[in-house]
Coordinates of all heavy atoms in Angstrom, one line a residue:
Y613 N 9.6 -4.1 -8.1 CA 8.8 -5.1 -8.6 C 7.3 -4.6 -8.8 O 6.7 -4.8 -9.9 CB 8.8 -6.3 -7.7 CG 7.8 -7.4 -8.0 CD1 7.8 -8.1 -9.2 CD2 6.9 -7.9 -7.0 CE1 7.0 -9.2 -9.4 CE2 6.1 -8.9 -7.2 CZ 6.1 -9.6 -8.4 OH 5.2 -10.6 -8.7
A614 N 6.8 -3.9 -7.8 CA 5.4 -3.4 -7.9 C 5.3 -2.4 -8.9 O 4.3 -2.3 -9.7 CB 5.0 -2.9 -6.5
D615 N 6.3 -1.4 -9.0 CA 6.2 -0.4 -10.0 C 6.2 -0.9 -11.4 O 5.5 -0.5 -12.3 CB 7.3 0.6 -9.8 CG 7.0 1.6 -8.6 OD1 5.9 1.7 -8.2 OD2 8.0 2.2 -8.1
E616 N 7.1 -1.9 -11.6 CA 7.2 -2.6 -12.9 C 5.8 -3.2 -13.3 O 5.4 -3.2 -14.4 CB 8.3 -3.6 -13.0 CG 9.7 -3.0 -13.0 CD 10.8 -4.0 -13.1 OE1 10.5 -5.1 -13.7 OE2 11.9 -3.8 -12.5
L617 N 5.2 -3.9 -12.3 CA 3.9 -4.5 -12.5 C 2.9 -3.5 -12.9 O 2.0 -3.7 -13.8 CB 3.5 -5.3 -11.3 CG 4.2 -6.7 -11.1 CD1 3.8 -7.2 -9.7 CD2 3.9 -7.7 -12.2
V618 N 2.8 -2.4 -12.2 CA 1.9 -1.3 -12.5 C 2.1 -0.8 -13.9 O 1.1 -0.7 -14.7 CB 2.0 -0.2 -11.5 CG1 1.2 1.0 -11.9 CG2 1.5 -0.6 -10.1
E619 N 3.3 -0.5 -14.3 CA 3.5 0.1 -15.6 C 3.1 -0.9 -16.7 O 2.5 -0.6 -17.7 CB 5.0 0.4 -15.8 CG 5.5 1.6 -14.9 CD 5.0 2.9 -15.3 OE1 4.3 3.0 -16.4 OE2 5.2 3.9 -14.6
A620 N 3.5 -2.2 -16.5 CA 3.2 -3.2 -17.5 C 1.7 -3.4 -17.6 O 1.1 -3.5 -18.7 CB 3.9 -4.5 -17.2
S621 N 1.0 -3.4 -16.5 CA -0.5 -3.6 -16.5 C -1.2 -2.4 -17.1 O -2.2 -2.6 -17.8 CB -0.9 -3.8 -15.0 OG -0.3 -5.0 -14.4
C622 N -0.7 -1.2 -16.9 CA -1.3 -0.1 -17.5 C -1.2 0.0 -19.0 O -2.1 0.4 -19.7 CB -0.8 1.2 -16.8 SG -1.3 1.5 -15.1
R623 N 0.0 -0.5 -19.4 CA 0.2 -0.5 -20.9 C -0.7 -1.5 -21.6 O -1.0 -1.4 -22.8 CB 1.7 -0.9 -21.2 CG 2.7 0.2 -20.9 CD 4.0 0.0 -21.5 NE 4.6 -1.3 -21.0 CZ 5.4 -1.3 -20.0 NH1 5.7 -0.2 -19.3 NH2 5.9 -2.5 -19.6
A624 N -1.2 -2.5 -20.8 CA -2.0 -3.6 -21.4 C -3.5 -3.3 -21.6 O -4.2 -4.1 -22.1 CB -1.8 -4.9 -20.6
V625 N -3.9 -2.1 -21.1 CA -5.3 -1.8 -21.1 C -5.5 -0.5 -21.9 O -4.6 0.3 -22.1 CB -5.9 -1.6 -19.7 CG1 -5.8 -2.9 -18.9 CG2 -5.1 -0.5 -18.9
F626 N -6.7 -0.3 -22.4 CA -7.1 0.9 -23.2 C -6.0 1.0 -24.4 O -5.5 2.2 -24.6 CB -7.2 2.1 -22.4 CG -8.3 2.1 -21.4 CD1 -8.2 1.7 -20.1 CD2 -9.6 2.5 -21.9 CE1 -9.3 1.6 -19.3 CE2 -10.7 2.5 -21.0 CZ -10.6 2.1 -19.7
R627 N -5.7 0.0 -25.0 CA -4.7 0.0 -26.1 C -5.0 0.9 -27.3 O -4.2 1.3 -28.0 CB -4.4 -1.4 -26.5 CG -3.8 -2.3 -25.4 CD -3.6 -3.7 -25.8 NE -2.5 -3.8 -26.8 CZ -1.2 -4.0 -26.5 NH1 -0.9 -4.2 -25.2 NH2 -0.3 -4.1 -27.4
K628 N -6.4 1.1 -27.5 CA -6.8 1.9 -28.6 C -6.5 3.4 -28.4 O -6.4 4.2 -29.3 CB -8.2 1.7 -28.9 CG -8.6 0.3 -29.5 CD -10.0 0.1 -29.8 CE -10.3 -1.3 -30.4 NZ -11.8 -1.4 -30.8
E629 N -6.4 3.7 -27.1 CA -6.1 5.1 -26.7 C -4.6 5.2 -26.5 O -4.2 5.3 -25.3 CB -6.9 5.5 -25.5 CG -8.4 5.5 -25.7 CD -9.2 6.0 -24.5 OE1 -8.9 7.0 -24.0 OE2 -10.2 5.3 -24.1
E630 N -3.9 5.2 -27.5 CA -2.4 5.1 -27.5 C -1.7 6.3 -26.8 O -0.7 6.2 -26.2 CB -1.8 4.9 -28.9 CG -2.3 3.6 -29.5 CD -1.7 3.4 -30.9 OE1 -1.0 4.4 -31.3 OE2 -1.9 2.4 -31.5
T631 N -2.3 7.5 -26.9 CA -1.7 8.7 -26.5 C -2.0 9.1 -25.1 O -1.4 10.1 -24.6 CB -2.1 9.9 -27.4 OG1 -3.5 10.1 -27.3 CG2 -1.7 9.6 -28.9
I632 N -2.8 8.4 -24.4 CA -3.2 8.8 -23.0 C -2.0 8.5 -22.1 O -1.3 7.6 -22.3 CB -4.5 8.2 -22.5 CG1 -4.3 6.6 -22.4 CG2 -5.7 8.6 -23.4 CD1 -5.5 6.0 -21.7
E633 N -1.9 9.3 -21.0 CA -0.9 9.1 -20.0 C -1.4 8.0 -19.1 O -2.6 7.8 -18.8 CB -0.7 10.4 -19.2 CG 0.4 10.3 -18.1 CD 0.6 11.6 -17.4 OE1 0.2 12.6 -17.9 OE2 1.1 11.5 -16.2
R634 N -0.5 7.1 -18.6 CA -0.9 6.0 -17.7 C 0.3 5.5 -17.0 O 1.5 5.8 -17.4 CB -1.5 4.9 -18.6 CG -0.4 4.3 -19.5 CD -1.1 3.2 -20.5 NE -1.7 3.9 -21.6 CZ -2.6 3.3 -22.4 NH1 -3.0 2.0 -22.1 NH2 -3.1 3.9 -23.4
G635 N 0.1 4.8 -15.9 CA 1.2 4.2 -15.2 C 1.1 4.4 -13.7 O 0.0 4.5 -13.1
V636 N 2.3 4.6 -13.0 CA 2.4 4.8 -11.6 C 1.8 6.2 -11.2 O 2.3 7.2 -11.8 CB 3.8 4.6 -11.1 CG1 3.9 5.0 -9.6 CG2 4.3 3.2 -11.3
A637 N 0.9 6.2 -10.3 CA 0.4 7.5 -9.8 C 1.2 8.0 -8.6 O 1.3 9.2 -8.4 CB -1.1 7.4 -9.4
L638 N 1.7 7.1 -7.8 CA 2.6 7.4 -6.7 C 3.5 6.2 -6.6 O 3.0 5.1 -6.5 CB 1.8 7.6 -5.4 CG 2.6 7.9 -4.1 CD1 3.2 9.3 -4.2 CD2 1.7 7.8 -2.9
P639 N 4.8 6.4 -6.6 CA 5.7 5.3 -6.5 C 5.4 4.4 -5.3 O 5.1 4.8 -4.2 CB 7.1 6.0 -6.4 CG 6.9 7.3 -7.1 CD 5.5 7.7 -6.7
T640 N 5.6 3.1 -5.5 CA 5.3 2.1 -4.5 C 6.3 2.4 -3.3 O 7.5 2.6 -3.5 CB 5.6 0.7 -5.0 OG1 4.6 0.4 -6.0 CG2 5.4 -0.3 -3.9
T641 N 5.7 2.3 -2.1 CA 6.5 2.5 -0.9 C 6.3 1.3 0.0 O 5.2 0.7 0.0 CB 6.2 3.7 -0.1 OG1 4.8 3.7 0.3 CG2 6.4 5.0 -1.0
V642 N 7.3 0.9 0.7 CA 7.3 -0.2 1.7 C 7.9 0.3 3.0 O 9.1 0.3 3.2 CB 8.0 -1.5 1.2 CG1 7.9 -2.6 2.3 CG2 7.4 -1.9 -0.1
S643 N 7.0 0.9 3.8 CA 7.5 1.5 5.1 C 7.5 0.5 6.2 O 6.5 -0.1 6.5 CB 6.6 2.7 5.4 OG 6.6 3.7 4.4
V644 N 8.6 0.3 6.9 CA 8.8 -0.8 7.8 C 8.8 -0.3 9.2 O 9.3 0.7 9.6 CB 10.2 -1.5 7.5 CG1 10.4 -2.7 8.4 CG2 10.3 -1.9 6.0
N645 N 8.1 -1.1 10.1 CA 8.0 -0.9 11.5 C 7.6 0.5 11.9 O 6.5 0.8 11.6 CB 9.4 -1.3 12.2 CG 9.6 -2.8 12.0 OD1 8.7 -3.6 11.9 ND2 10.9 -3.2 12.1
R646 N 8.4 1.3 12.5 CA 7.9 2.6 12.9 C 8.1 3.7 11.9 O 7.7 4.9 12.1 CB 8.6 3.1 14.2 CG 10.1 3.3 14.2 CD 10.5 3.5 15.7 NE 12.0 3.8 15.7 CZ 12.4 5.1 16.0 NH1 11.6 6.1 16.2 NH2 13.7 5.3 16.1
I647 N 8.6 3.3 10.7 CA 8.5 4.3 9.6 C 7.0 4.5 9.2 O 6.3 3.5 9.0 CB 9.3 3.7 8.3 CG1 10.7 3.6 8.7 CG2 9.0 4.6 7.1 CD1 11.5 4.9 8.7
I648 N 6.6 5.7 9.1 CA 5.2 6.0 8.8 C 4.9 6.0 7.3 O 3.9 5.4 6.9 CB 4.8 7.4 9.4 CG1 4.9 7.3 11.0 CG2 3.4 7.8 9.0 CD1 4.6 8.7 11.6

Side-chain angles (χ1 to χ4, degrees):
Y613 173 57
D615 284 342
E616 288 182 33
L617 284 172
V618 169
E619 293 288 353
S621 300
C622 288
R623 288 194 299 269
V625 297
F626 292 93
R627 297 177 68 92
K628 292 183 179 180
E629 299 184 44
E630 298 179 357
T631 60
I632 64 172
E633 186 180 336
R634 65 186 81 198
V636 172
L638 178 70
T640 298
T641 60
V642 180
S643 301
V644 184
N645 293 338
R646 65 189 182 107
I647 297 287
I648 294 175

